[in-house]
Amino acid sequence: MTVLRRVVAGLVAAALLGVAMWLTHVAPHIEGRLQDPIPNGGHAGKIVTNRVFSVRVDRVDVARSIVTHTDIVDPKKNERITTPGIFVIVYLSVRSNQRPVGLGHVRLTTHSGLHYAESGRDGLLTKNEGIFEPMLWGNASYVFEIPKDQLKGAHLIVGQSDSLNQLSAEADVDLGLDTGSADRLLAHPTDDYKLRDA
């Protein structure tokens, strides 16, 4: 075997080894993504339906602070939560399409690809009816805390509450927050916002 053939054989072997190592790193991620929830997209104000449930975003509010306890006698004693960014409060209607279903894996996705889970602050609990029944509309609301510059282009993503969420259904709702509407909301975020019933 000539020196040239040995060099070529060595390069081919090294290339094959590199490809094999790359595949062992990439293949599990590809397989994992094949099991991701299946999203159906839509827009705020419209019903977004998948095989398991339907949602409709009815309202989106923005607040600088949220009142968690109201003192009717002395409003100065109201308990409030403030944020350096903004609170985004999303109200939606939900119904199951087949069997009772709970919502979960809820997040706000921004134009830059960041995902924000619900605010974990005490007093800012998600309000929903828990389990949604077939063909009956129920209500839910979610509170997110995000930087102001992430509001434009935000989407609400809602999935099932199943612990094994693979190949389950999701709704991806465009909240309709283009530059103009996001700027209008950010120009006058509500102070001392009171969460509505879901």
Side-chain angles (χ1 to χ4, degrees):
M1 186 180 268
T2 66
V3 173
L4 180 60
R5 284 186 177 174
R6 287 182 183 171
V7 170
V8 170
L11 290 174
V12 169
L16 289 174
L17 180 63
V19 169
M21 291 175 62
W22 179 75
L23 283 174
T24 60
H25 176 72
V26 171
H29 299 289
I30 292 172
E31 289 175 13
R33 274 180 281 175
L34 290 174
Q35 298 292 315
D36 280 352
I38 302 166
N40 283 56
H43 297 277
K46 306 286 184 188
I47 297 173
V48 180
T49 299
N50 55 50
R51 61 187 167 75
V52 179
F53 63 89
S54 299
V55 297
R56 182 185 65 231
V57 171
D58 297 321
R59 183 183 179 100
V60 178
D61 290 334
V62 172
R64 188 176 304 133
S65 63
I66 295 178
V67 172
T68 57
H69 176 73
T70 304
D71 188 323
I72 298 172
V73 177
D74 186 1
K76 292 180 182 177
K77 293 183 179 177
N78 287 350
E79 294 176 17
R80 66 185 47 83
I81 297 175
T82 60
T83 177
I86 55 166
F87 291 109
V88 179
I89 306 98
V90 182
Y91 296 92
L92 57 149
S93 299
V94 185
R95 77 174 179 207
S96 167
N97 292 334
Q98 297 176 351
R99 57 183 170 77
V101 66
L103 298 184
H105 307 283
V106 179
R107 58 208 181 274
L108 198 69
T109 300
T110 67
H111 65 278
S112 57
L114 298 174
H115 298 284
Y116 292 90
E118 301 168 67
S119 177
R121 303 245 212 146
D122 290 340
L124 297 182
L125 300 175
T126 294
K127 294 183 179 180
N128 70 42
E129 297 173 0
I131 300 297
F132 296 93
E133 299 295 332
M135 310 314 289
L136 298 174
W137 286 100
N139 298 310
S141 63
Y142 297 94
V143 180
F144 303 92
E145 189 173 354
I146 66 171
K148 292 178 183 177
D149 64 350
Q150 295 296 315
L151 182 62
K152 181 182 77 170
H155 283 232
L156 177 73
I157 300 178
V158 181
Q160 296 172 243
S161 61
D162 303 346
S163 56
L164 292 175
N165 204 32
Q166 294 180 332
L167 290 178
S168 62
E170 276 190 340
D172 181 345
V173 185
D174 182 344
L175 297 179
L177 298 171
D178 58 13
T179 302
S181 56
D183 288 346
R184 282 192 295 278
L185 286 172
L186 290 172
H188 305 288
T190 305
D191 282 315
D192 294 347
Y193 183 90
K194 293 180 183 173
L195 293 172
R196 305 163 181 263
D197 288 333

